[in-house]
Each structure stands twice: as structure tokens, then as C-alpha cells.
Amino acid sequence: MAELAELEDPKARAVNEKHGDDHGVNLGTLRALAKRLKTQQDLARGLWDTDDTAARLLALLVCRPKAFGRDELDAMVREARTPKVHDWLVNYVVKKNPHAEELRLAWSADEDPVVASAGWALTTERVAKKPQGLDLSALLDVIEAEMKDAPDRLQWAMNHCLAQIGIEHADHRARAMDIGERLQVLEDYPTSPGCTSPFAPVWITEIVRRRQVR
């Protein structure tokens, strides 16, 4: 914790706080520290328990993803206060855990929109990598009915799933594009030069085009 405190950079904190993340440690520096520490599950649990954002990010880099129990991960996703901690927890830990599918189903139906967004992130992973058994038409039904009015974090996760369905599954692409066009979710999202817009029709079209060029 003392070392993390020394790495605090006011400029980094100012940038991070614009995205809802209350820490001032450069993420590249944090990764370098994690590389030096290597995997330490007990240390990871101790860092997580501090409730400090930088410490929790470090915990997620040095932990052993498969060592967490189902209930432990469920508690952690509800304790993850900031977007970056939530994102790393889902992507670096839960996706590699044997309870991922069980948690995907439970979280997708959760009343807390941030928890539900974790379920949708896991669903997006399955859409891309292991779609067998998923009812993509039913997913599109839910997205069509609920995404427009969903809270920001949940809306973002549902939109990502919509785009992924359109990108990966040509037989559902026209409907995914149509839903995106009609709902107009993230149409005006500011996008840096050289980056792809998160507006689903643009996102789908661009990634499909790139794949065809290869």
C-alpha cells in the first residue's frame, strides 16, 4: 500500500476520475508492479479487502482467477465500486473462473443494473467464442425491448452484445443492424480519430469490412 501511495500521480488521477475511477496510478506502472510480484492469491485477497481502487486493480492482476468461489465472485462484483475495477474483475478473473456460466445466468437477471452488465459482458464473450446453446434471437428480443432505456453501464454492455451478434453471426446481422438503427443508442458517442464508433451499425459494418479485407 505504501508503494502504491508513492506511485500516485495527480495528473493520472484527474484523467481517471473523469471516467469514474478514483485512483492516480498509471496502469502501465501498475502492470509492471504486478509482473514483479507475480501470482499471490493471499496478497490479492488482502489488497481487495482494502477497498482502495488501485489496490483492487493490483489484486486482480496478481490473483489466481480459478481460486475464487462462486459466492466470493458474486460478492466482489457487488463491491466493485468503479468502472475499471468492475471491468477487470469480469474480464481478467470471472471469464477464467469455472463458475463463469453460472454467474452469467444469475447476473444477467439481477435487479442491480451494474451487476446485470457483468452478466451481459459474459454473454458477449460467449456470443464471440462459444455461441453453442445461446438463443441469439431471444437475446436480440431483450436488447430490442430494454436497451434504449437501460442505465448507462447496462446499456453499454447490451450494446456491445448487440454489435458482437452482428459481427460474428451473419444470419442475425441484418436484424442487429436494424435494431441499432432504430434505437440510435450511442449514435452520437464522441469517438477519437482512428477509433471505431460504438454505435452498433457503424461498429458492425467496420469490423466485418476489416475481416473481409484480410
Side-chain angles (χ1 to χ4, degrees):
M1 292 303 294
E3 188 163 353
L4 285 173
E6 289 180 4
L7 295 173
E8 175 77 19
D9 178 353
K11 290 182 180 179
R13 177 173 285 274
V15 172
N16 291 332
E17 286 184 343
K18 288 181 181 178
H19 300 100
D21 296 308
D22 56 349
H23 75 95
V25 182
N26 176 279
L27 295 181
T29 304
L30 199 66
R31 292 180 189 279
L33 176 57
K35 190 174 182 180
R36 174 162 61 80
L37 290 169
K38 298 186 172 61
T39 303
Q40 297 190 49
Q41 183 67 8
D42 289 343
L43 174 61
R45 284 197 167 99
L47 288 168
W48 182 270
D49 289 343
T50 65
D51 193 29
D52 176 85
T53 295
R56 283 187 163 179
L57 291 172
L58 182 60
L60 297 171
L61 293 173
V62 302
C63 74
R64 187 173 290 106
K66 294 180 180 178
F68 292 104
R70 180 217 179 277
D71 291 347
E72 192 172 12
L73 289 174
D74 184 67
M76 289 169 74
V77 84
R78 296 172 196 281
E79 295 166 359
R81 297 176 294 97
T82 66
K84 185 64 72 176
V85 171
H86 176 92
D87 182 52
W88 282 19
L89 173 61
V90 173
N91 286 292
Y92 296 172
V93 181
V94 181
K95 285 181 180 179
K96 300 175 183 178
N97 186 275
H99 301 288
E101 179 61 13
E102 183 185 352
L103 290 168
R104 180 185 78 82
L105 294 170
W107 289 345
S108 295
D110 201 276
E111 292 183 357
D112 183 330
V114 176
V115 175
S117 75
W120 278 93
L122 295 173
T123 298
T124 301
E125 174 86 350
R126 276 205 57 190
V127 166
K129 297 184 178 178
K130 206 164 76 173
Q132 298 79 10
L134 284 180
D135 187 338
L136 298 179
S137 292
L139 286 175
L140 289 174
D141 289 344
V142 175
I143 292 169
E144 186 172 17
E146 300 178 11
M147 181 172 74
K148 181 77 172 178
D149 298 317
D152 288 350
R153 300 264 289 276
L154 179 55
Q155 184 184 72
W156 185 275
M158 294 175 85
N159 182 71
H160 190 180
C161 190
L162 173 66
Q164 205 68 52
I165 291 172
I167 291 165
E168 301 291 345
H169 302 279
D171 49 337
H172 293 278
R173 187 169 297 149
R175 186 182 175 202
M177 295 277 284
D178 179 63
I179 291 171
E181 291 286 1
R182 283 187 290 105
L183 298 186
Q184 297 289 293
V185 167
L186 299 176
E187 182 195 20
D188 299 322
Y189 191 84
T191 305
S192 302
C195 296
T196 303
S197 168
F199 180 47
V202 174
W203 190 352
I204 294 166
T205 301
E206 176 59 18
I207 300 303
V208 170
R209 182 194 68 78
R210 290 182 194 175
R211 290 183 177 182
Q212 290 172 341
V213 168
R214 288 177 188 168

